[in-house]
Amino acid sequence: MRIKRLARAALGVCALGLWSVAGASAAGFTPGSPGLGDPFFPFAGNGGYGVSNYALTLDYTPGTNQLAGTAVISARATQSLSRFDLDLRGFEISRLLVDGRAATFTRDGEQELVITPAAGIPSGTAFTVTIDYAGTPAVVTDPDQSIEGWVPTDDGAFVVNEPQGSPAWYPVNDNPRDKATYDFSVTVPAGLTVMANGVLVSSTTRGQKTTWVWRENDPMAPYLATTTLGRFDLTQYSVDGIPAYVAVDPQLPKGQVLAKLPEAVRFYSSIYGPYPFDSVGAIVDSAKVVGYSLETQTKPNFPAMPDEATLVHELSHMWFGDSLTLAQWPDIWLHEGFATWSEWMWSEHEGNKSAHQWFKDLYNKPAQDTAFWNPPPGDPGTAPFLFNGTIYYRGGMTLQALREKVGDYAFFRIMRDWAQQNRFGTVTTPQFVALAKQISRMNLDAFFDVWLYQPGKPTSW
């Protein structure tokens, strides 16, 4: 399959003239890799460049589920590129430019968009890709059979992407290691609201259409982007100077849980360090077919009115998952175990069940309950187990066991330093282990091996 694709790309470049091909080859220009080798999603993301900004101009018609878009992608080559890939599922492409010049492209597999520019791009050079595309955005089914991507609702779309839904609606270097800033301009029928990441810049109605402009100025992993849209009651306020945007589907039952948002932000800021982003909020839509909430950066998406534990779980992800993001998907416990423990800490903060009691109750699950204890959180094994319950609960128990082993002073310093030292970065489990050992001044290798990697119920640590 790769050989055939190379042949097609070479033929496309010939249409531009043999000089650019020969020149690129002579200068040592080579193709960027078609994936970044993630153990679960090896072709997610692409090599040879890094993206600094996505400017997405979208126009969506809910009645026909048609999306037209222009993506302007600002990037910088990390090698001398003869060609490079983006990730995009479906859509007809009507124009593709690299630095304003027409480029050839081919499609390969489910999501590889293979782009050959008119001339090679030297390493270290900034370049811009402009893509006009249109069609029906995809709903992606994951290995665990959950769905994501651009999911139509009765009045719009619920847009969530973890772990591989982003290419369903925009061309992207779809790997969490390549964070970028985002600009969104989304046009929808008048009366609908578009909720995207970051700060609301403007909302302008002309005739029967409204254009919503949002800007996310902080680095964001591609899967955390959203443009959920529909009929919403939108409330805007401030949390200690941070703009807050809370959108609720008016068809859903009203509740008081969202009033806890400011207090939760303040509480997690007190233990993990300052809130990392330039806005905060929540999107509550009627999207029961999705069946899960997601920590989309600055504004978690909820498919129904959340309970308090779900709300604080997703808000804690702003520190662990969004600002600090895994480098490879098998390390998902660094998101979900931390957010689960954060739920327990919130409960403790509110004077309800303590994190120790949560740990004790869960640890009393019998060893014979292998579905509860396996797979271990540091080694999900295969992609269908990426969001298995053990990743959440045994992951959270790992943190509480660490707290009780090293003591509160060292533990809370570990958690705060972990969040602050890795602000807007990507991380691995060995990095967390190293920090815990450094701060506690304890040899924790056996502890983490038992809790994160050994199958079955931990019995000695």
Short mmCIF file of all heavy atoms in Angstrom, two decimals, residues 409-447:
data_model
loop_
_atom_site.label_atom_id
_atom_site.label_comp_id
_atom_site.label_asym_id
_atom_site.label_seq_id
_atom_site.Cartn_x
_atom_site.Cartn_y
_atom_site.Cartn_z
N TYR A 409 2.39 15.99 53.04
CA TYR A 409 3.27 17.10 52.63
C TYR A 409 3.95 16.78 51.30
O TYR A 409 3.90 17.58 50.35
CB TYR A 409 4.31 17.40 53.70
CG TYR A 409 5.26 18.51 53.30
CD1 TYR A 409 4.89 19.84 53.42
CD2 TYR A 409 6.51 18.20 52.76
CE1 TYR A 409 5.75 20.87 53.03
CE2 TYR A 409 7.38 19.22 52.37
CZ TYR A 409 6.99 20.55 52.50
OH TYR A 409 7.83 21.55 52.09
N ALA A 410 4.58 15.62 51.20
CA ALA A 410 5.27 15.24 49.97
C ALA A 410 4.27 15.01 48.84
O ALA A 410 4.51 15.41 47.69
CB ALA A 410 6.12 14.00 50.20
N PHE A 411 3.15 14.36 49.17
CA PHE A 411 2.20 14.01 48.12
C PHE A 411 1.63 15.25 47.44
O PHE A 411 1.60 15.34 46.19
CB PHE A 411 1.05 13.17 48.70
CG PHE A 411 0.00 12.86 47.66
CD1 PHE A 411 0.20 11.88 46.72
CD2 PHE A 411 -1.20 13.58 47.63
CE1 PHE A 411 -0.77 11.60 45.75
CE2 PHE A 411 -2.16 13.31 46.68
CZ PHE A 411 -1.95 12.32 45.74
N PHE A 412 1.17 16.22 48.21
CA PHE A 412 0.56 17.39 47.58
C PHE A 412 1.60 18.25 46.86
O PHE A 412 1.28 18.93 45.89
CB PHE A 412 -0.23 18.20 48.60
CG PHE A 412 -1.55 17.56 48.93
CD1 PHE A 412 -1.73 16.87 50.13
CD2 PHE A 412 -2.60 17.61 48.04
CE1 PHE A 412 -2.94 16.26 50.42
CE2 PHE A 412 -3.81 17.00 48.31
CZ PHE A 412 -3.99 16.33 49.51
N ARG A 413 2.85 18.18 47.32
CA ARG A 413 3.89 18.86 46.57
C ARG A 413 4.12 18.15 45.23
O ARG A 413 4.34 18.79 44.20
CB ARG A 413 5.19 18.90 47.38
CG ARG A 413 6.28 19.68 46.66
CD ARG A 413 7.58 19.72 47.42
NE ARG A 413 8.67 20.15 46.55
CZ ARG A 413 9.96 20.01 46.81
NH1 ARG A 413 10.33 19.44 47.96
NH2 ARG A 413 10.87 20.42 45.96
N ILE A 414 4.09 16.82 45.24
CA ILE A 414 4.22 16.05 44.00
C ILE A 414 3.13 16.45 43.01
O ILE A 414 3.40 16.73 41.83
CB ILE A 414 4.15 14.53 44.28
CG1 ILE A 414 5.40 14.06 45.03
CG2 ILE A 414 3.99 13.74 42.98
CD1 ILE A 414 5.27 12.67 45.63
N MET A 415 1.89 16.49 43.48
CA MET A 415 0.76 16.78 42.59
C MET A 415 0.86 18.20 42.03
O MET A 415 0.62 18.42 40.84
CB MET A 415 -0.55 16.58 43.34
CG MET A 415 -0.80 15.16 43.79
SD MET A 415 -1.08 14.00 42.43
CE MET A 415 -2.81 14.34 42.07
N ARG A 416 1.21 19.15 42.87
CA ARG A 416 1.30 20.54 42.41
C ARG A 416 2.47 20.73 41.44
O ARG A 416 2.31 21.35 40.38
CB ARG A 416 1.43 21.48 43.61
CG ARG A 416 1.27 22.96 43.26
CD ARG A 416 1.44 23.84 44.49
NE ARG A 416 1.17 25.24 44.21
CZ ARG A 416 0.01 25.84 44.40
NH1 ARG A 416 -1.03 25.15 44.86
NH2 ARG A 416 -0.13 27.13 44.12
N ASP A 417 3.63 20.19 41.80
CA ASP A 417 4.79 20.33 40.92
C ASP A 417 4.56 19.62 39.59
O ASP A 417 4.98 20.11 38.53
CB ASP A 417 6.04 19.77 41.59
CG ASP A 417 6.60 20.70 42.66
OD1 ASP A 417 5.97 21.74 42.95
OD2 ASP A 417 7.68 20.38 43.21
N TRP A 418 3.90 18.47 39.63
CA TRP A 418 3.59 17.73 38.40
C TRP A 418 2.74 18.59 37.46
O TRP A 418 3.02 18.68 36.26
CB TRP A 418 2.87 16.45 38.76
CG TRP A 418 2.48 15.56 37.62
CD1 TRP A 418 1.22 15.16 37.28
CD2 TRP A 418 3.36 14.89 36.70
NE1 TRP A 418 1.25 14.32 36.20
CE2 TRP A 418 2.56 14.13 35.82
CE3 TRP A 418 4.75 14.88 36.52
CZ2 TRP A 418 3.08 13.35 34.79
CZ3 TRP A 418 5.28 14.11 35.48
CH2 TRP A 418 4.46 13.36 34.64
N ALA A 419 1.74 19.26 38.01
CA ALA A 419 0.87 20.10 37.19
C ALA A 419 1.59 21.34 36.68
O ALA A 419 1.44 21.73 35.51
CB ALA A 419 -0.37 20.50 37.98
N GLN A 420 2.36 21.98 37.55
CA GLN A 420 2.97 23.25 37.19
C GLN A 420 4.23 23.09 36.32
O GLN A 420 4.44 23.87 35.39
CB GLN A 420 3.30 24.06 38.45
CG GLN A 420 2.06 24.47 39.24
CD GLN A 420 1.06 25.23 38.38
OE1 GLN A 420 1.41 26.21 37.72
NE2 GLN A 420 -0.19 24.79 38.37
N GLN A 421 5.05 22.10 36.61
CA GLN A 421 6.26 21.91 35.82
C GLN A 421 5.95 21.47 34.40
O GLN A 421 6.75 21.70 33.48
CB GLN A 421 7.17 20.89 36.49
CG GLN A 421 7.80 21.35 37.78
CD GLN A 421 8.67 20.29 38.43
OE1 GLN A 421 9.00 19.25 37.83
NE2 GLN A 421 9.05 20.51 39.69
N ASN A 422 4.80 20.85 34.19
CA ASN A 422 4.45 20.32 32.88
C ASN A 422 3.29 21.09 32.23
O ASN A 422 2.65 20.57 31.31
CB ASN A 422 4.10 18.83 33.00
CG ASN A 422 5.29 18.02 33.45
OD1 ASN A 422 6.26 17.86 32.73
ND2 ASN A 422 5.23 17.53 34.68
N ARG A 423 3.07 22.30 32.68
CA ARG A 423 2.01 23.15 32.14
C ARG A 423 2.13 23.24 30.62
O ARG A 423 3.18 23.57 30.07
CB ARG A 423 2.12 24.53 32.78
CG ARG A 423 1.03 25.52 32.43
CD ARG A 423 1.36 26.83 33.15
NE ARG A 423 0.45 27.91 32.81
CZ ARG A 423 -0.59 28.29 33.54
NH1 ARG A 423 -0.85 27.67 34.67
NH2 ARG A 423 -1.36 29.29 33.17
N PHE A 424 1.04 22.91 29.92
CA PHE A 424 0.93 22.95 28.46
C PHE A 424 1.83 21.93 27.76
O PHE A 424 2.04 22.01 26.55
CB PHE A 424 1.22 24.35 27.91
CG PHE A 424 0.34 25.43 28.48
CD1 PHE A 424 0.84 26.69 28.73
CD2 PHE A 424 -1.01 25.19 28.77
CE1 PHE A 424 0.04 27.70 29.25
CE2 PHE A 424 -1.82 26.19 29.29
CZ PHE A 424 -1.29 27.44 29.53
N GLY A 425 2.39 20.98 28.51
CA GLY A 425 3.29 20.00 27.92
C GLY A 425 2.67 18.62 27.80
O GLY A 425 1.49 18.41 28.08
N THR A 426 3.49 17.66 27.35
CA THR A 426 3.07 16.27 27.30
C THR A 426 4.01 15.45 28.18
O THR A 426 5.19 15.79 28.35
CB THR A 426 3.08 15.71 25.87
OG1 THR A 426 4.37 15.93 25.28
CG2 THR A 426 2.01 16.38 25.03
N VAL A 427 3.47 14.36 28.75
CA VAL A 427 4.18 13.64 29.81
C VAL A 427 4.03 12.14 29.66
O VAL A 427 3.20 11.64 28.89
CB VAL A 427 3.63 14.07 31.20
CG1 VAL A 427 3.95 15.52 31.50
CG2 VAL A 427 2.12 13.81 31.28
N THR A 428 4.85 11.42 30.43
CA THR A 428 4.81 9.97 30.47
C THR A 428 4.77 9.50 31.92
O THR A 428 5.12 10.24 32.85
CB THR A 428 6.06 9.37 29.80
OG1 THR A 428 7.22 9.71 30.57
CG2 THR A 428 6.22 9.87 28.37
N THR A 429 4.40 8.24 32.12
CA THR A 429 4.39 7.67 33.46
C THR A 429 5.77 7.65 34.10
O THR A 429 5.92 8.00 35.28
CB THR A 429 3.77 6.27 33.44
OG1 THR A 429 2.40 6.36 33.04
CG2 THR A 429 3.83 5.61 34.81
N PRO A 430 6.84 7.26 33.38
CA PRO A 430 8.17 7.30 34.02
C PRO A 430 8.55 8.68 34.54
O PRO A 430 9.23 8.79 35.56
CB PRO A 430 9.10 6.84 32.89
CG PRO A 430 8.27 5.94 32.06
CD PRO A 430 6.90 6.57 32.07
N GLN A 431 8.09 9.74 33.88
CA GLN A 431 8.36 11.09 34.39
C GLN A 431 7.68 11.32 35.73
O GLN A 431 8.26 11.93 36.64
CB GLN A 431 7.88 12.14 33.38
CG GLN A 431 8.73 12.27 32.14
CD GLN A 431 8.12 13.26 31.17
OE1 GLN A 431 7.14 12.98 30.48
NE2 GLN A 431 8.69 14.44 31.12
N PHE A 432 6.43 10.84 35.87
CA PHE A 432 5.74 11.01 37.14
C PHE A 432 6.42 10.21 38.24
O PHE A 432 6.60 10.69 39.36
CB PHE A 432 4.27 10.59 37.01
CG PHE A 432 3.51 10.74 38.30
CD1 PHE A 432 3.18 12.00 38.79
CD2 PHE A 432 3.13 9.62 39.04
CE1 PHE A 432 2.51 12.14 40.00
CE2 PHE A 432 2.45 9.75 40.24
CZ PHE A 432 2.13 11.02 40.72
N VAL A 433 6.81 8.99 37.93
CA VAL A 433 7.51 8.15 38.91
C VAL A 433 8.79 8.84 39.36
O VAL A 433 9.10 8.89 40.57
CB VAL A 433 7.81 6.76 38.31
CG1 VAL A 433 8.72 5.96 39.25
CG2 VAL A 433 6.50 6.00 38.04
N ALA A 434 9.53 9.41 38.42
CA ALA A 434 10.79 10.07 38.76
C ALA A 434 10.55 11.27 39.68
O ALA A 434 11.30 11.50 40.64
CB ALA A 434 11.51 10.50 37.49
N LEU A 435 9.50 12.06 39.40
CA LEU A 435 9.21 13.21 40.24
C LEU A 435 8.80 12.78 41.64
O LEU A 435 9.23 13.38 42.65
CB LEU A 435 8.10 14.05 39.60
CG LEU A 435 7.71 15.31 40.39
CD1 LEU A 435 8.85 16.32 40.39
CD2 LEU A 435 6.44 15.95 39.81
N ALA A 436 7.96 11.73 41.73
CA ALA A 436 7.53 11.25 43.04
C ALA A 436 8.72 10.77 43.86
O ALA A 436 8.80 11.03 45.07
CB ALA A 436 6.50 10.13 42.87
N LYS A 437 9.65 10.08 43.23
CA LYS A 437 10.84 9.61 43.93
C LYS A 437 11.72 10.78 44.37
O LYS A 437 12.27 10.79 45.48
CB LYS A 437 11.63 8.66 43.03
CG LYS A 437 10.94 7.33 42.78
CD LYS A 437 11.55 6.56 41.63
CE LYS A 437 12.98 6.17 41.88
NZ LYS A 437 13.53 5.35 40.76
N GLN A 438 11.85 11.77 43.51
CA GLN A 438 12.68 12.93 43.82
C GLN A 438 12.14 13.70 45.03
O GLN A 438 12.89 14.04 45.95
CB GLN A 438 12.76 13.85 42.61
CG GLN A 438 13.49 15.16 42.85
CD GLN A 438 13.26 16.17 41.74
OE1 GLN A 438 12.97 15.79 40.60
NE2 GLN A 438 13.36 17.44 42.06
N ILE A 439 10.85 13.97 45.02
CA ILE A 439 10.26 14.79 46.09
C ILE A 439 10.16 14.01 47.40
O ILE A 439 10.43 14.54 48.48
CB ILE A 439 8.90 15.34 45.65
CG1 ILE A 439 9.11 16.38 44.53
CG2 ILE A 439 8.13 15.95 46.82
CD1 ILE A 439 7.82 16.93 43.94
N SER A 440 9.76 12.75 47.31
CA SER A 440 9.58 11.95 48.54
C SER A 440 10.90 11.46 49.11
O SER A 440 10.97 11.06 50.28
CB SER A 440 8.68 10.76 48.25
OG SER A 440 9.34 9.83 47.41
N ARG A 441 11.95 11.43 48.25
CA ARG A 441 13.24 10.86 48.63
C ARG A 441 13.09 9.39 49.05
O ARG A 441 13.75 8.92 49.98
CB ARG A 441 13.90 11.68 49.73
CG ARG A 441 14.19 13.12 49.33
CD ARG A 441 14.91 13.88 50.40
NE ARG A 441 15.18 15.27 49.98
CZ ARG A 441 15.82 16.16 50.72
NH1 ARG A 441 16.26 15.82 51.93
NH2 ARG A 441 16.02 17.38 50.27
N MET A 442 12.19 8.70 48.35
CA MET A 442 11.95 7.29 48.62
C MET A 442 12.11 6.50 47.33
O MET A 442 11.87 7.02 46.23
CB MET A 442 10.53 7.07 49.18
CG MET A 442 10.27 7.76 50.50
SD MET A 442 8.53 7.64 51.02
CE MET A 442 8.38 5.89 51.30
N ASN A 443 12.54 5.26 47.46
CA ASN A 443 12.59 4.37 46.30
C ASN A 443 11.18 3.79 46.11
O ASN A 443 10.73 2.95 46.89
CB ASN A 443 13.60 3.25 46.53
CG ASN A 443 13.78 2.39 45.28
OD1 ASN A 443 12.91 2.36 44.40
ND2 ASN A 443 14.91 1.71 45.19
N LEU A 444 10.52 4.24 45.08
CA LEU A 444 9.12 3.87 44.84
C LEU A 444 8.96 2.94 43.65
O LEU A 444 7.84 2.72 43.18
CB LEU A 444 8.29 5.13 44.63
CG LEU A 444 8.24 6.11 45.80
CD1 LEU A 444 7.59 7.42 45.38
CD2 LEU A 444 7.48 5.50 46.98
N ASP A 445 10.04 2.37 43.15
CA ASP A 445 9.95 1.52 41.96
C ASP A 445 9.02 0.33 42.19
O ASP A 445 8.16 0.03 41.36
CB ASP A 445 11.35 1.01 41.56
CG ASP A 445 12.23 2.12 41.03
OD1 ASP A 445 11.68 3.15 40.55
OD2 ASP A 445 13.47 1.98 41.08
N ALA A 446 9.19 -0.36 43.33
CA ALA A 446 8.35 -1.53 43.60
C ALA A 446 6.90 -1.11 43.80
O ALA A 446 5.97 -1.80 43.34
CB ALA A 446 8.87 -2.27 44.83
N PHE A 447 6.68 0.02 44.47
CA PHE A 447 5.32 0.53 44.68
C PHE A 447 4.60 0.74 43.35
O PHE A 447 3.48 0.26 43.14
CB PHE A 447 5.38 1.84 45.47
CG PHE A 447 4.06 2.57 45.52
CD1 PHE A 447 3.12 2.28 46.49
CD2 PHE A 447 3.74 3.53 44.56
CE1 PHE A 447 1.90 2.94 46.53
CE2 PHE A 447 2.52 4.20 44.59
CZ PHE A 447 1.60 3.90 45.57
#
